[in-house]
Amino acid sequence: QVKLVESGGGSVQAGRSLRLSCAVSGYPHSNGCMAWFRQAPGKERERVASIDTDGATNYSDSVKGRFTISRDNAGKSLYLQMDILKLEDTAMYYCAAAPYIGLRCRDYIFWGQGTQVTVSS
């Protein structure tokens, strides 16, 4: 059973940094298909960063150049380094994982419970 547990959220002033962590268990790939999503009240869920089996990363335009996704070599932890935080980064952040089948990542079907990030002026 795949279990994802986020931590590291909190309240921070604009311009500062936070680092989110996701503890991964039961996921059969050490270099799998993982991502960070966020959802703010009244808004759709947004994928902010992803990392694929070959280590390739992708970022939404809203966070590109400010956020960095990474993972440990064992695939037991996923991270999101968030720098130069803005008010609009306020949201619940979720760690997600997708099955790797047929040499490609499938839909994200494994989710954590989320960790709240609040950015204030």
Side-chain angles (χ1 to χ4, degrees):
Q1 181 179 357
V2 178
K3 186 175 182 181
L4 308 173
V5 181
E6 303 94 336
S7 60
S11 297
V12 64
Q13 286 188 318
R16 305 296 290 268
S17 299
L18 273 178
R19 189 190 197 210
L20 304 183
S21 297
C22 175
V24 183
S25 60
Y27 187 59
H29 312 288
S30 60
N31 294 315
C33 318
M34 304 202 69
W36 287 97
F37 288 76
R38 70 184 180 187
Q39 187 167 23
K43 294 189 176 181
E44 292 188 356
R45 186 173 59 195
E46 172 191 20
R47 186 174 68 183
V48 296
S50 64
I51 184 166
D52 290 340
T53 56
D54 59 358
T57 57
N58 284 282
Y59 299 92
S60 66
D61 289 342
S62 60
V63 307
K64 197 172 295 182
R66 300 188 297 120
F67 289 13
T68 304
I69 188 172
S70 63
R71 61 183 166 211
D72 68 350
N73 289 334
K76 297 302 183 185
S77 293
L78 183 73
Y79 306 103
L80 185 68
Q81 177 67 39
M82 306 186 294
D83 298 321
I84 318 175
L85 282 161
K86 302 178 179 180
L87 298 179
E88 52 265 40
D89 294 321
T90 295
M92 185 71 79
Y93 283 73
Y94 299 91
C95 173
Y100 181 65
I101 302 172
L103 300 180
R104 69 183 185 93
C105 296
R106 303 292 175 160
D107 294 338
Y108 293 99
I109 61 172
F110 305 113
W111 296 87
Q113 82 290 349
T115 186
Q116 177 68 37
V117 173
T118 302
V119 184
S120 61
S121 59

